[in-house]
Amino acid sequence: MNKYEMIIHWSEEDQLFIAEVPELPGCMADGHSYQEAVSNAETIINEWIETAKDLGRTIPKPKGKLMYA
């Protein structure tokens, strides 16, 4: 289980739930249901981390709740 924060919102344009992972640049997923978007995001987080490891890039540590203005 990853501990990265996800921001999940409904996209009227796409008619899908969108799950964004702000701490991992470009990491996002979608799904027809809220649960599907979260599940897909968990898969993408793991793939993002594996790709970063393969490329020798730094993997950010989860910060917990992010603050927004």
Side-chain angles (χ1 to χ4, degrees), residues 17-65:
F17 286 93
I18 308 295
E20 300 178 57
V21 185
E23 294 173 88
L24 305 176
C27 187
M28 58 181 7
D30 61 31
H32 292 285
S33 69
Y34 187 95
Q35 292 80 5
E36 182 180 32
V38 170
S39 178
N40 291 342
E42 289 172 346
T43 299
I44 295 302
I45 288 169
N46 290 329
E47 290 176 5
W48 193 103
I49 291 169
E50 286 304 313
T51 299
K53 285 179 184 176
D54 291 345
L55 296 173
R57 295 190 178 156
T58 302
I59 300 165
K61 297 218 183 287
K63 295 178 184 168
K65 185 176 183 194

